[in-house]
């Protein structure tokens, strides 16, 4: 359950990944979960994205090496969430099908490509569902949906990312998740998480 790391990957990233992979493997019922963590190759243009998944590999953007601990834990948990939900494999198979169809016929490629967009991406908000599912996994690791929002804000600050509509929609769903959790805790007689101490106000600073 430990990640296999390539050369030049900072040790703190490997040390962050090990317990997250172990705990998620147990919690999600995947005892044989194997995740490979590596530095993204220089030719892979990742822009402001701190990491990406390819199959069961997590490729770390070298620009993300300077992320603080909480943001680093969020990035690893989020990307492993994609692996747990099979998002990267589905995307790989889809693009492989598009590439092979292009070799056969450009018209077939267009048909397969638009079919993938209309059948899978549009109903899911052009990737919103996959990103939210990965965020939910990260929230289980960080302990709060609000912690995920704060970590994303830190990632945006370090990676010079922009606030885009998709991220706004994800934050809205994360806040709704946090409010539902708080309501459930209060109904169960457990101490809830106050908005003032760790909620939306802190996340939007």
């Amino acid at each position: 359950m430990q990640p296999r790391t390539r050369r030049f990957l900072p040790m703190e990233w490997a040390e962050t990944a090990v317990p997250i992979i172990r705990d998620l493997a147990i919690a999600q019922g995947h005892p044989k979960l194997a995740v490979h963590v590596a530095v993204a190759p220089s030719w892979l243009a990742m822009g402001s994205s701190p990491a990406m998944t390819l199959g069961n590999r997590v490729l770390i953007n070298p620009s993300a090496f300077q992320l603080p601990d909480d943001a680093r834990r969020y990035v690893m948990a989020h990307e492993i969430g994609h692996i747990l939900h099979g998002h990267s494999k589905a995307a790989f198979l889809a693009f492989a099908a598009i590439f092979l169809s292009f070799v056969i016929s450009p018209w077939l490629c267009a048909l397969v490509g638009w079919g993938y967009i209309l059948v899978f991406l549009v109903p899911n908000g052009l990737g919103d569902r996959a990103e939210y599912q990965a965020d939910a996994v990260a929230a289980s690791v960080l302990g709060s949906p609000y912690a995920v929002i704060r970590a994303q804000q830190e990632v945006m600050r370090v990676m010079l990312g922009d606030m885009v509509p998709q991220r706004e929609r994800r934050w809205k769903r994360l806040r709704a998740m946090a409010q539902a959790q708080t309501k459930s805790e209060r109904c169960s007689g457990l101490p809830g998480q106050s908005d003032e101490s760790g909620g939306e106000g802190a996340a939007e600073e």
Side-chain angles (χ1 to χ4, degrees), residues 52-128:
M52 66 175 293
T53 56
L54 183 62
N56 66 336
R57 294 181 179 273
V58 177
L59 302 179
I60 307 299
N61 187 339
S63 298
F65 289 166
Q66 56 187 318
L67 288 174
D69 181 64
D70 285 348
R72 187 169 62 246
R73 292 179 65 233
Y74 156 73
V75 170
M76 285 304 311
H78 178 90
E79 297 304 327
I80 294 171
H82 281 306
I83 293 174
L84 287 171
H85 284 283
H87 299 151
S88 56
K89 288 185 178 180
F92 174 79
L93 291 175
F95 284 109
I98 293 174
F99 176 78
L100 291 176
S101 63
F102 178 80
V103 174
I104 299 173
S105 167
W107 288 104
L108 179 60
C109 175
L111 179 63
V112 173
W114 279 107
Y116 175 71
I117 292 173
L118 295 176
V119 174
F120 292 101
L121 294 186
V122 171
N124 293 330
L126 293 176
D128 280 11

Side-chain angles (χ1 to χ4, degrees), residues 3-54:
R4 302 176 186 177
T5 58
R6 291 183 178 178
R7 293 175 59 189
F8 309 125
L9 181 71
M11 183 57 64
E12 58 265 25
W13 279 89
E15 292 175 346
T16 296
V18 169
I20 292 176
I21 295 172
R22 181 189 62 237
D23 294 345
L24 286 176
I26 296 173
Q28 300 291 329
H30 294 277
K32 296 183 179 180
L33 177 66
V35 177
H36 305 258
V37 185
V39 180
S42 57
W43 52 263
L44 185 61
M46 298 180 65
S48 61
S49 177
M52 66 175 293
T53 56
L54 183 62

Side-chain angles (χ1 to χ4, degrees), residues 177-195:
M177 178 197 294
Q179 292 166 3
Q181 290 177 351
T182 300
K183 182 177 180 180
S184 177
E185 290 171 352
R186 289 173 178 171
C187 291
S188 301
L190 298 176
Q193 179 186 39
S194 66
D195 290 347

Side-chain angles (χ1 to χ4, degrees), residues 120-156:
F120 292 101
L121 294 186
V122 171
N124 293 330
L126 293 176
D128 280 11
R129 181 180 179 183
E131 293 302 322
Y132 175 73
Q133 288 176 334
D135 281 345
V137 172
S140 71
V141 172
L142 298 184
S144 165
Y146 290 126
V148 171
I149 296 177
R150 290 192 293 270
Q152 288 185 11
Q153 289 175 329
E154 187 64 20
V155 171
M156 290 171 60

